[in-house]
Amino acid sequence: MDAWREVLGWLSGRGLEVVLIILGSVLLARFVGWAGTRITDRIDRNATGGDALVRSEAAKHRHSLTQVLTWAAIVLIYSISVFFALDRLGVPITGLVAPATVLGVGLGFGAQRIVGDVLAGFFIITERQYGFGDVVAIQVLGGMEPASGTVEDVTLRVTRLRSPDGEVVTVPNGQIVKVINLSRDWARAVVDVPVPTSVDVNRANEVLREVGRAAFRDPALRPLLLDPPSVMGVESLDLEQVNIRVVARTLPGKQFEVGRDLRARVVQAFRSQGMQVPQAATVHDPADDGATAVQEGVR
């Protein structure tokens, strides 16, 4: 009975305090997560008006920074609650300093990759290399093909992408060796239109200029374009055809949609003029550095 009374006394005293500390830390962590979600949602609504791709660089940075601060605050809450719980349980915190030092050294050697991921994530966020909503292609250490998609989450340790097929790709920040940002400030849709050598190039250029002017006047396409599409002239030639390049500056992430629309307009315009596009057109979908290209057929 005396032992049972001691157990009940402990549960009603320090045991209850430990339970309250744990419960309070869980509730506080959930509140911080909820508040972080509300803040990021408000940033998205104010910056995009519902479009996840078209947002300012400042909004992308604020979103990523809010996610990181939320994650850091939750980790800090749980860490402090553990120390308070150990203190209420009567475990001497000062006596854990020496073992914690040895454990920290061991973890430092064993968790070098995690430390590298955190440091890389810190520089990614502070240097604003990319943020939530950016369309990126990430080259991973030892990987053959880059991981491409829309950034959905950036923490100090990992970056999560949503691929065009809907797959979620998680990339450790410390394994990133190269990042191609396809939606930084503005983007560029570049359409190389193959034209038979028998067709008058000047006539083809004029048809393409009219396509660009019509696209810029279109109320549905005009909001996506920063300026009228330009005809750059003959880009390359061979024995049977020449490639005439059309360039359009677009809002971030909208180069793919604009490129598809321009290709359809080019086909319709050429057919109305009795001209044919002989082969697949090369459509480049780079950011301002012109880093990538996508091959798509014109039908």
Side-chain angles (χ1 to χ4, degrees):
M1 293 298 294
D2 293 337
W4 180 248
R5 290 194 186 95
E6 290 181 1
V7 171
L8 291 178
W10 183 85
L11 290 176
S12 61
R14 291 189 176 184
L16 181 59
E17 292 179 1
V18 171
V19 172
L20 291 176
I21 289 172
I22 296 174
L23 181 61
S25 64
V26 172
L27 293 177
L28 184 58
R30 291 197 174 188
F31 173 77
V32 170
W34 173 82
T37 302
R38 290 292 300 273
I39 293 173
T40 53
D41 290 344
R42 179 173 297 181
I43 291 172
D44 294 341
R45 287 195 302 268
N46 295 337
T48 67
D51 195 322
L53 291 177
V54 182
R55 66 183 70 223
S56 67
E57 296 302 318
K60 296 175 185 176
H61 181 68
R62 287 196 297 268
H63 187 113
S64 300
L65 190 60
T66 302
Q67 288 179 321
V68 171
L69 291 177
T70 301
W71 176 80
I74 292 174
V75 171
L76 183 62
I77 289 170
Y78 283 130
S79 300
I80 293 176
S81 66
V82 167
F83 281 104
F84 275 111
L86 290 176
D87 180 65
R88 301 315 300 164
L89 289 173
V91 179
I93 304 299
T94 55
L96 297 176
V97 173
T101 303
V102 176
L103 180 63
V105 173
L107 290 176
F109 285 106
Q112 294 182 19
R113 178 170 296 181
I114 296 178
V115 175
D117 293 341
V118 172
L119 289 176
F122 172 79
F123 287 112
I124 287 173
I125 294 171
T126 55
E127 294 175 359
R128 303 190 181 189
Q129 297 179 18
Y130 54 83
F132 176 82
D134 272 329
V135 180
V136 299
I138 296 178
Q139 185 67 49
V140 182
L141 182 65
M144 298 298 294
E145 296 293 333
S148 303
T150 303
V151 178
E152 288 194 342
D153 190 16
V154 183
T155 68
L156 288 178
R157 199 181 72 84
V158 298
T159 296
R160 290 186 179 88
L161 308 177
R162 177 75 64 174
S163 72
D165 296 329
E167 302 167 338
V168 176
V169 182
T170 302
V171 181
N173 293 330
Q175 303 299 307
I176 298 174
V177 296
K178 180 181 179 181
V179 176
I180 301 173
N181 195 328
L182 303 179
S183 57
R184 183 65 179 267
D185 298 326
W186 56 272
R188 180 188 292 129
V190 181
V191 180
D192 286 344
V193 182
V195 178
T197 54
S198 58
V199 174
D200 186 357
V201 174
N202 292 327
R203 180 188 172 199
N205 285 338
E206 186 56 38
V207 171
L208 293 176
R209 291 190 187 97
E210 180 55 35
V211 168
R213 289 191 289 264
F216 196 67
R217 292 193 302 265
D218 189 340
L221 196 62
R222 174 66 180 85
L224 308 182
L225 294 168
L226 300 181
D227 44 39
S230 303
V231 179
M232 308 303 293
V234 176
E235 177 65 21
S236 62
L237 57 90
D238 55 34
L239 294 178
E240 298 182 354
Q241 68 183 32
V242 296
N243 289 319
I244 302 177
R245 174 162 293 183
V246 180
V247 177
R249 285 203 316 149
T250 72
L251 292 177
K254 293 300 183 181
Q255 66 270 37
F256 310 108
E257 181 177 345
V258 171
R260 288 190 293 267
D261 189 278
L262 287 177
R263 292 196 297 276
R265 291 173 182 270
V266 167
V267 172
Q268 293 175 359
F270 273 34
R271 286 178 178 174
S272 66
Q273 297 293 324
M275 304 163 61
Q276 296 294 328
V277 180
Q279 295 181 4
T282 301
V283 181
H284 299 262
D285 290 306
D288 46 354
D289 59 357
T292 62
V294 178
Q295 295 286 340
E296 297 196 24
V298 176
R299 294 178 176 85

